[in-house]
């Protein structure tokens, strides 16, 4: 009998991509995030996972992080549980121990694992063999936890996101992919403006189309932001991407400055997951200006992580 006796693998609530959740479940997680924030540092009793006092979250990083690392650590402690943080390079993962073996061992010690990985298949492979939840703290393909925080940030400023219009301008990257998943699941319009060489993965756009998502792709940043409720962008060079000079050249016309923001709705908000590079993907006047909600967005990572962990640990 395993010491850390858990449900069999197929019953585990992994949080790997928003596309894995149905719309009702994603809506519930966002509502839980709002409720966690309203409750302050401690979760409302009905959102406190059973047995949390004895629960351990292990966090493993293959790449750098400030917000994800700290917000998950604080979130787990505020829920009433504990955390262990590891750098992948310091573990046997860095020496090639099979992911299936690692998944089984971590499942005997801990109650959930959160990882930031270079290769998305690391998460899916771990999830296939883990008997505890696997949470995606960012991969090359997606960043679902970020978008839970972004959805709640939008709703705090602009009301329900269903039916709203969000414009993404810049690289069609991991964060953009999770926006596509969210728009499709929650029924809002997403307009993506990307240079054709840096469009989102074809599989992500095909998925949205097949699922009936209102996702539009253009190469014209002005067209994407026209009358949008929210303008979002991200760094031109994500972690692990090598071709920085070429990316900077391609992405110049997609920078969010005052002129571009003026084409969105008058009361549109600006979001960026951070870290930001002023003078590249966004001007200082926009990110530090009155339409920017980036500090609420960063704070909301904490509340969102509590909701995600609570859901993974069995709260409905
Ligand atoms: N937005 C985000 O995930 O930030 P970190 O890379 O600092 O975790
Ligand atoms: N797209 C960025 C997000 C950082 C939080 C990256 O992957 O580096």
């Amino acid at each position: 009998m395993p010491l850390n006796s858990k449900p069999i693998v197929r019953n585990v609530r992994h949080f790997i991509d928003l596309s894995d959740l149905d719309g009702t479940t994603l809506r519930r997680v966002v509502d839980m995030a709002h409720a966690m924030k309203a409750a302050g540092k401690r979760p409302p009793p009905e959102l406190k996972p059973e047995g949390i006092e004895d629960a351990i979250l292990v966090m493993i990083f293959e790449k750098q992080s400030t917000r994800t690392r700290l917000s998950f650590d604080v979130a787990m402690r505020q829920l009433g549980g504990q955390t262990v943080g590891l750098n992948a390079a310091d573990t046997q993962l860095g020496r090639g121990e099979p992911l299936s073996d690692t998944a089984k061992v971590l499942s005997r010690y801990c109650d959930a694992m959160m990882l930031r990985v270079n290769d998305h298949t690391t998460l899916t492979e771990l999830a296939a063999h883990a008997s505890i939840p696997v949470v995606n703290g960012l991969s090359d393909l997606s960043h679902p936890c970020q978008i839970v925080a972004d959805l709640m940030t939008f709703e705090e400023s602009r009301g329900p996101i269903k039916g709203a219009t969000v414009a993404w301008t810049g690289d069609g990257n991991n964060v953009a992919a999770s926006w596509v998943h969210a728009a499709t699941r929650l029924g809002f319009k997403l307009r993506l403006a990307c240079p054709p060489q840096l469009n989102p993965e074809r599989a992500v756009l095909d998925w949205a189309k097949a699922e009936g998502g209102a996702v539009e792709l253009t190469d014209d940043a002005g067209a994407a932001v026209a009358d949008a409720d929210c303008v979002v962008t991200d760094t031109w060079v994500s972690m692990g991407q090598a071709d920085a000079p070429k990316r900077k050249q391609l992405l110049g016309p997609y920078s969010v400055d005052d002129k571009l923001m003026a084409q969105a709705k008058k009361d549109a908000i600006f979001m960026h997951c951070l870290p930001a590079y002023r003078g590249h993907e966004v001007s200082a006047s926009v990110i530090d200006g009155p339409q920017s909600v980036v500090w609420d967005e960063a704070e909301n990572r904490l509340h969102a992580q509590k909701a995600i962990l609570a859901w993974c640990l069995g709260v409905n």
Side-chain angles (χ1 to χ4, degrees):
M1 181 71 176
L3 174 65
N4 202 2
S5 183
K6 288 284 173 284
I8 52 172
V9 173
R10 66 177 172 276
N11 288 339
V12 177
R13 286 182 175 180
H14 300 299
F15 196 86
I16 294 182
D17 267 317
L18 300 182
S19 51
D20 301 334
L21 275 54
D22 60 30
T24 308
T25 305
L26 178 56
R27 183 65 255 168
R28 175 68 185 140
V29 172
V30 176
D31 288 341
M32 282 167 55
H34 285 301
M36 290 288 188
K37 185 169 186 175
K41 287 192 176 177
R42 296 288 163 208
E46 69 278 10
L47 297 186
K48 191 169 178 169
E50 208 183 313
I52 188 75
E53 295 78 10
D54 297 318
I56 306 273
L57 170 71
V58 59
M59 310 185 295
I60 302 180
F61 289 85
E62 291 183 345
K63 332 195 212 198
Q64 294 97 325
S65 168
T66 299
R67 281 146 287 266
T68 305
R69 184 190 304 270
L70 195 54
S71 59
F72 264 107
D73 201 338
V74 175
M76 188 64 179
R77 291 167 194 239
Q78 290 191 355
L79 282 176
Q82 297 172 60
T83 60
V84 177
L86 300 173
N87 285 324
D90 298 334
T91 70
Q92 298 289 3
L93 274 172
R95 294 181 60 244
E97 180 170 10
L99 290 165
S100 52
D101 292 358
T102 303
K104 289 172 196 157
V105 173
L106 295 186
S107 299
R108 298 287 179 110
Y109 298 149
C110 301
D111 299 86
M113 63 176 102
M114 186 278 291
L115 299 101
R116 172 164 286 193
V117 297
N118 292 313
D119 184 338
H120 192 81
T121 59
T122 300
L123 298 167
T124 50
E125 180 72 7
L126 285 168
H129 298 277
S131 56
I132 60 173
V134 175
V135 179
N136 177 2
L138 181 145
S139 74
D140 54 334
L141 297 188
S142 57
H143 197 5
C145 300
Q146 177 69 51
I147 303 310
V148 176
D150 292 4
L151 295 168
M152 68 177 289
T153 308
F154 179 94
E155 294 193 330
E156 285 175 343
S157 303
R158 300 297 314 262
I161 196 151
K162 192 176 164 97
T165 300
V166 174
W168 172 277
T169 167
D171 187 16
N173 66 12
N174 44 4
V175 179
S178 289
W179 270 108
V180 171
H181 293 155
T184 305
R185 286 295 185 241
L186 293 187
F188 62 91
K189 189 183 277 186
L190 180 67
R191 295 203 209 107
L192 299 142
C194 310
Q197 299 89 329
L198 299 176
N199 278 342
E201 298 273 336
R202 177 46 55 196
V204 174
L205 298 173
D206 287 348
W207 173 85
K209 198 169 175 194
E211 296 284 322
V215 176
E216 294 168 9
L217 181 63
T218 173
D219 62 0
D220 180 346
V225 306
D227 275 332
D229 298 288
C230 173
V231 177
V232 197
T233 192
D234 187 14
T235 180
W236 286 345
V237 187
S238 286
M239 290 178 278
Q241 291 175 335
D243 45 354
K246 178 75 181 158
R247 293 181 152 273
K248 287 177 182 168
Q249 186 200 341
L250 289 171
L251 286 159
Y254 298 84
S255 179
V256 183
D257 56 13
D258 293 310
K259 201 167 149 232
L260 192 68
M261 273 311 284
Q263 295 176 61
K265 276 190 184 149
K266 224 179 149 73
D267 53 355
I269 53 172
F270 170 76
M271 289 207 276
H272 188 309
C273 65
L274 306 177
Y277 300 90
R278 289 166 175 79
H280 290 245
E281 75 272 11
V282 61
S283 67
S285 58
V286 170
I287 194 168
D288 299 318
Q291 288 170 280
S292 172
V293 292
V294 298
W295 311 121
D296 292 334
E297 185 182 2
E299 177 191 327
N300 287 339
R301 295 296 306 279
L302 169 61
H303 310 297
Q305 317 304 32
K306 282 194 265 188
I308 292 162
L309 288 170
W311 179 79
C312 287
L313 294 171
V315 174
N316 288 311

